[in-house]
Amino acid sequence: MSLSERSRPQVQPRHAGYFADPFVLRAGNAYYAYGTGPRQAGERVFEVLRSEDLQEWTSLGGALEPLPGAAQDYWAPEVAAEGGRFYMYYSVGQGDQHHQLRVAVAEHPQGPFQDSGVVLTPDEPFAIDPSPFRDEDGQWYLYFARDVLEGERVGTSLAVMPLSDMLTPGGPITTVLRASADWQLYARQRPMYGRTLDWHTLEGPFVVRRNGLYHCFYSGGAWTNDTYGVGHAVAEHPLGPWREPQAGPVVLRSGVADLIGPGHNSLITDEAGQDWIVFHAWNAERTERQLHLLALDWSAGGPRPVL
């Protein structure tokens, strides 16, 4: 190994297993991580991990009771606490088709979560990656990704809708960001909706308010390979308009600290007030997307992970 290879920053996963689309919730004196992953028939969906320090994690098993009927695919859970209860937002569909956003409820952060029966996006042909955000005035918003077939770069884009309460949409859907660059290409000549399209993807939105602005982290490109990365946009209001101070996957990208396809991030703030960016990346064999956490620095010309 050369000196340059020895001095290159390395980022190790915090959990050995498959744990994609990670989200971390702080509840009481502990942190709970929820992620997408494989499951056995009859088991609860979405593995939940528990930690007291964001470093060492213990699996508590599955969090969500699956829906009745035929087997389906469950993606990208995020959990919000409100009024002493916990609300899990997620999508369900068949493979990469027909996903809709749903919400489940539990009395404890580890679950078990029971689906509420509510479909939050009944008019969308495809909606994934729900991310609830509570503004300083108490208003909740739900950010998510949905398919848009009009415009120069068709594909999956970012949207937001207000919530009347944790189970009820409270206003029209507003576009947050659409694809604007080549790095956001998912695949060329992709068969979609009876057409063949150069498909672009923006997904995994996560919003926080810092320093008087709203910051939206999102993932672009193809989650299957090393084009995947994390970009960043800002706005003066949760509904926008949103703009990108710097173009490209400026927050996370492949090649940094030998990461492969880092993305679908969330943020968690520890007891000391330090923000951490939570994301997945492929292992060297590209067989598992694994959980990673890095401290986030807001002073270096934009939010950047500390390597």
Side-chain angles (χ1 to χ4, degrees):
M1 179 182 294
S2 68
L3 177 61
S4 62
E5 290 174 321
R6 289 198 300 271
S7 62
R8 181 186 301 164
Q10 301 292 313
V11 179
Q12 299 299 324
R14 301 298 175 91
H15 177 62
Y18 197 108
F19 204 85
D21 313 327
F23 169 81
V24 174
L25 174 75
R26 183 178 170 191
N29 296 321
Y31 302 92
Y32 297 85
Y34 310 83
T36 303
R39 71 181 180 92
Q40 301 297 319
E43 292 183 351
R44 290 178 184 156
V45 186
F46 300 134
E47 184 178 12
V48 55
L49 312 177
R50 184 183 186 277
S51 175
E52 296 182 356
D53 58 6
L54 294 176
Q55 307 298 318
E56 302 295 329
W57 296 86
T58 301
S59 177
L60 303 179
L64 171 69
E65 295 289 352
L67 296 170
Q72 300 186 77
D73 293 291
Y74 298 79
W75 291 359
E78 292 199 13
V79 175
E82 178 73 0
R85 307 182 84 188
F86 298 89
Y87 297 84
M88 174 180 281
Y89 298 86
Y90 66 99
S91 78
V92 62
Q94 295 284 349
D96 62 356
Q97 303 291 318
H98 312 302
H99 272 254
Q100 294 292 330
L101 304 186
R102 303 183 68 98
V103 57
V105 187
E107 302 298 324
H108 305 283
Q110 68 269 27
F113 286 84
Q114 300 282 347
D115 186 82
S116 65
V118 174
V119 177
L120 295 168
T121 53
D123 298 324
E124 296 291 329
F126 182 83
I128 59 172
D129 300 349
S131 182
F133 167 73
R134 184 181 186 272
D135 202 2
E136 293 175 343
D137 62 2
Q139 173 66 53
W140 283 94
Y141 298 87
L142 190 68
Y143 294 84
F144 61 99
R146 62 172 178 167
D147 286 353
V148 176
L149 301 181
E150 297 81 27
E152 181 180 354
R153 296 177 186 268
V154 302
T156 306
S157 63
L158 305 183
V160 60
M161 65 180 173
L163 295 175
S164 293
D165 57 45
M166 305 306 283
L167 300 175
T168 311
I173 295 172
T174 302
T175 297
V176 174
L177 284 176
R178 294 193 57 180
S180 61
D182 288 344
W183 77 270
Q184 298 158 342
L185 181 71
Y186 181 89
R188 294 199 182 278
Q189 298 296 290
R190 187 185 187 195
M192 295 292 290
Y193 299 100
R195 301 160 61 186
T196 301
L197 302 164
D198 288 347
W199 192 264
H200 295 73
T201 291
L202 276 61
E203 61 186 14
F206 190 88
V207 170
V208 295
R209 181 175 169 85
R210 296 289 185 274
N211 305 318
L213 287 173
Y214 297 89
H215 298 260
C216 179
F217 297 77
Y218 73 91
S219 295
W223 66 269
T224 55
N225 59 47
D226 57 9
T227 67
Y228 208 52
V230 176
H232 166 246
V234 298
E236 282 74 32
H237 189 276
L239 299 179
W242 293 85
R243 65 187 185 277
E244 296 187 79
Q246 294 177 281
V250 295
V251 181
L252 285 169
R253 65 185 186 277
S254 291
V256 174
D258 290 337
L259 292 169
I260 304 172
H264 200 116
N265 80 277
S266 60
L267 263 63
I268 183 65
T269 306
D270 67 19
E271 294 180 352
Q274 172 66 57
D275 282 331
W276 294 78
I277 185 168
V278 185
F279 61 97
H280 71 235
W282 287 103
N283 60 0
E285 298 76 22
R286 304 198 184 201
T287 57
E288 292 184 332
R289 290 179 289 170
Q290 296 178 305
L291 171 66
H292 293 266
L293 288 91
L294 289 171
L296 196 66
D297 179 9
W298 290 91
S299 66
R304 300 291 186 270
V306 179
L307 302 175

